[in-house]
């Protein structure tokens, strides 16, 4: 998420898009930009739905074909992609520290703790479905695992995958057998909180319900561990390079990821609310791997990057700032503390669901244009710069 050249970085940056030799890998920036904007494809429905953050816990049902298509393409997929890329960045920083003879994890622990603090602030002040806190905890463990043998890392990776799939399988079975007669309802009090309540009241609500609202990183800890280590393996295998090895590996990811992931995700979404966990946390990572192959294939064929490619690259280089900003913008547009469009346009009238799609497109455009203009003057995003400054003092 930073743009510091690895030759002068004294603190390992978990998301630095540099090759082991110090050269940047452009594909990583583009993939990260796509992952940031892709997560909003899912989150935008949370911001605009009844009960917002809390409402997402009450219902796994989809309202219409458009939301269903968004769910098939995005729900959990770009979150998995972002997690894989975080593992890639961690592998890059480990190799950089190893090359310089620096101790590892060394001061990286402070970076992870700082990230946890950033995630906590983001959770309390902006968005209950923050991912940074879970990434920080997982990064601490994976940073230590990188000092172990590759054989040990592979064992942990597949063990984590097995535990995660077992947990998701059991929870899916429980949902299938449970009585879901009351599913889909959001209390009037909670709906009014986000439609008319004050900002301090919304903060207080998140704090009062922190255990429930923070269950996702707990539930998905083993998935995060698996995807971090998978990112490490993909990077070490050369899957993100511009050479023939990278193209060959990405072609395999494209064929297997889309070939298996797309039909499985369609089936999981069509299966209804009982399969919501399987769709978001079970089949999604397969399609995320397909996206790596697909985006990589497009990048390999582009000779002159246009506005879209430039915008994705800029968002990828300012990923932390973009992630937080897109959530802040959606809060101000959707909740009653801002424009209150979530209640005004509702989830039933003629504008539904197209205004939600328009909100996503608009925020994406703002991020791509804004980050491109910002990087013409500065070498890193605003939050990335604050993070670098804090960790150097």
């Amino acid at each position: 998420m930073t743009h510091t050249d690895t030759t002068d970085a004294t603190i390992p940056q978990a998301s630095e898009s540099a090759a082991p030799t110090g050269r940047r890998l452009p594909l990583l920036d583009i993939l990260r930009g796509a992952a940031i904007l892709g997560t909003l494809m899912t989150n935008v429905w949370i911001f605009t739905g009844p009960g917002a953050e809390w409402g997402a816990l009450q219902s796994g049902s989809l309202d219409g074909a458009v939301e269903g298509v968004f769910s098939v393409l995005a729900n959990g997929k770009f979150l998995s992609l972002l997690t894989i890329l975080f593992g890639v960045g961690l592998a890059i920083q480990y190799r950089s520290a190893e090359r310089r003879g620096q101790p590892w994890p060394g001061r990286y622990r402070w970076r992870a703790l700082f990230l946890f603090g950033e995630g906590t602030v983001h959770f309390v002040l902006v968005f209950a479905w923050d991912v940074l806190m879970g990434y920080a905890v997982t990064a601490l463990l994976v940073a230590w695992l990188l000092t172990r043998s590759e054989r040990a890392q592979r064992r942990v990776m597949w063990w984590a995958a097995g535990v995660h799939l077992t947990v998701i399988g059991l929870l899916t079975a429980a949902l299938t057998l449970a009585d879901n007669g009351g599913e889909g309802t959001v209390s009037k009090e909670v709906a009014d909180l986000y439609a008319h309540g004050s900002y301090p009241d919304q903060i207080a609500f998140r704090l009062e319900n922190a255990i429930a609202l923070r269950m996702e990183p707990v539930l998905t800890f083993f998935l995060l561990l698996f995807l971090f280590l998978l990112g490490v393996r993909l990077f070490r295998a050369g899957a993100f390079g511009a050479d023939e090895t990278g193209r060959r590996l990405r072609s395999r990811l494209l064929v297997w990821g889309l070939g298996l992931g797309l039909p499985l995700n369609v089936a999981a979404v069509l299966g209804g609310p009982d399969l919501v966990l399987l769709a978001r946390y079970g089949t999604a990572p397969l399609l995320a791997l397909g996206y790596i192959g697909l985006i990589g294939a497009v990048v390999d064929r582009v000779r002159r990057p246009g506005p879209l490619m430039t915008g994705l690259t800029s968002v990828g280089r300012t990923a932390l700032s973009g992630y937080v900003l897109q959530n802040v913008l959606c809060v101000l547009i959707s909740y009653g503390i801002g424009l209150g469009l979530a209640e005004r346009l509702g989830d039933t009238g003629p504008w539904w669901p197209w205004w939600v799609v328009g909100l996503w497109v608009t925020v994406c455009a703002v991020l791509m244009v804004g980050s491109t203009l910002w990087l013409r003057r500065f070498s890193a995003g605003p939050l990335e710069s604050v993070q670098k400054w804090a960790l150097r003092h």
Side-chain angles (χ1 to χ4, degrees):
M1 295 176 192
T2 63
H3 186 50
T4 309
D5 190 286
T6 53
T7 58
D8 59 11
T10 57
I11 302 174
Q13 302 295 307
S15 51
E16 181 66 59
S17 301
T21 59
R23 294 177 288 108
R24 295 183 69 84
L25 296 174
L27 178 59
L28 288 180
D29 287 326
I30 296 171
L31 286 170
R32 190 177 299 110
I36 292 297
L37 301 183
T39 58
L40 187 60
M41 286 184 72
T42 299
N43 293 343
V44 70
W45 302 95
I46 297 176
F47 288 111
T48 56
E53 303 161 317
W54 187 257
L57 292 174
Q58 304 300 305
S59 173
S61 61
L62 301 175
D63 189 5
V66 174
E67 188 176 356
V69 170
F70 267 55
S71 182
V72 168
L73 296 177
N75 187 19
K77 290 75 178 178
F78 291 101
L79 177 62
S80 294
L81 176 57
L82 191 62
T83 308
I84 290 170
L85 293 174
F86 208 103
V88 172
L90 195 54
I92 290 171
Q93 294 311 306
Y94 170 73
R95 184 168 292 186
S96 177
E98 185 179 46
R99 189 175 67 249
R100 297 189 189 112
Q102 296 174 338
W104 182 266
R107 296 184 64 187
Y108 178 79
R109 298 186 185 94
W110 291 108
R111 173 175 168 80
L113 292 174
F114 191 86
L115 184 67
F116 186 87
E118 290 176 315
T120 302
V121 173
H122 182 239
F123 165 77
V124 173
L125 300 183
V126 182
F127 189 43
W129 293 81
D130 165 80
V131 301
L132 302 178
M133 296 170 69
Y135 283 179
V137 173
T138 309
L140 283 172
L141 175 57
V142 175
W144 173 79
L145 284 171
L146 292 182
T147 64
R148 308 294 97 184
S149 67
E150 291 198 17
R151 181 180 180 184
Q153 293 170 34
R154 286 196 300 270
R155 286 181 176 178
V156 172
M157 185 180 81
W158 293 116
W159 173 78
V163 172
H164 171 72
L165 291 176
T166 299
V167 171
I168 293 300
L170 292 174
L171 290 175
T172 298
L175 286 176
T176 303
L177 297 174
D179 178 12
N180 295 322
E183 182 258 331
T185 60
V186 177
S187 70
K188 185 178 183 302
E189 291 78 8
V190 175
D192 285 343
L193 171 66
Y194 289 95
H196 307 290
S198 68
Y199 183 54
D201 287 342
Q202 292 176 13
I203 292 176
F205 181 80
R206 277 194 285 270
L207 293 175
E208 291 168 2
N209 297 278
I211 294 179
L213 291 170
R214 286 285 74 199
M215 281 305 297
E216 181 175 59
V218 177
L219 176 66
T220 62
F221 172 75
F222 291 105
L223 175 62
L224 296 179
L225 180 57
F226 167 74
L227 292 176
F228 264 61
L229 291 171
L230 178 60
V232 172
R233 290 198 66 184
L234 288 173
F235 170 72
R236 289 174 173 173
F240 303 99
D243 56 5
E244 183 59 34
T245 297
R247 287 190 287 270
R248 183 176 66 253
L249 290 174
R250 291 193 294 273
S251 295
R252 293 178 183 175
L253 293 176
L254 173 61
V255 172
W256 289 103
L258 294 186
L260 288 177
L262 191 57
L264 287 175
N265 277 280
V266 171
V269 169
L270 293 178
D274 290 344
L275 300 184
V276 62
L277 295 179
L278 182 63
R280 181 168 172 82
Y281 306 121
T283 60
L286 279 173
L287 195 50
L289 292 174
Y291 285 166
I292 293 176
L294 178 61
I295 295 172
V298 172
V299 172
D300 288 339
R301 287 163 175 77
V302 171
R303 297 299 175 219
R304 292 185 177 181
L308 177 60
M309 200 76 73
T310 300
L312 288 175
T313 300
S314 299
V315 173
R317 286 171 51 188
T318 58
L320 178 60
S321 299
Y323 171 67
V324 173
L325 178 59
Q326 69 185 17
N327 294 332
V328 170
L329 291 175
C330 285
V331 165
L332 295 177
I333 293 171
S334 303
Y335 296 176
I337 60 174
L339 298 179
L341 293 189
E343 185 191 38
R344 292 185 184 183
L345 299 180
D347 58 355
T348 54
W351 293 102
W352 181 266
W354 301 110
W355 87 268
V356 182
V357 177
L359 174 60
W360 173 67
V361 171
T362 300
V363 173
C364 288
V366 169
L367 261 62
M368 287 193 288
V369 173
S371 60
T372 300
L373 294 176
W374 178 275
L375 289 174
R376 289 179 182 177
R377 183 176 179 85
F378 305 100
S379 63
L383 292 184
E384 286 82 356
S385 298
V386 170
Q387 186 182 76
K388 285 164 54 181
W389 176 84
L391 293 174
R392 286 179 176 176
H393 289 78

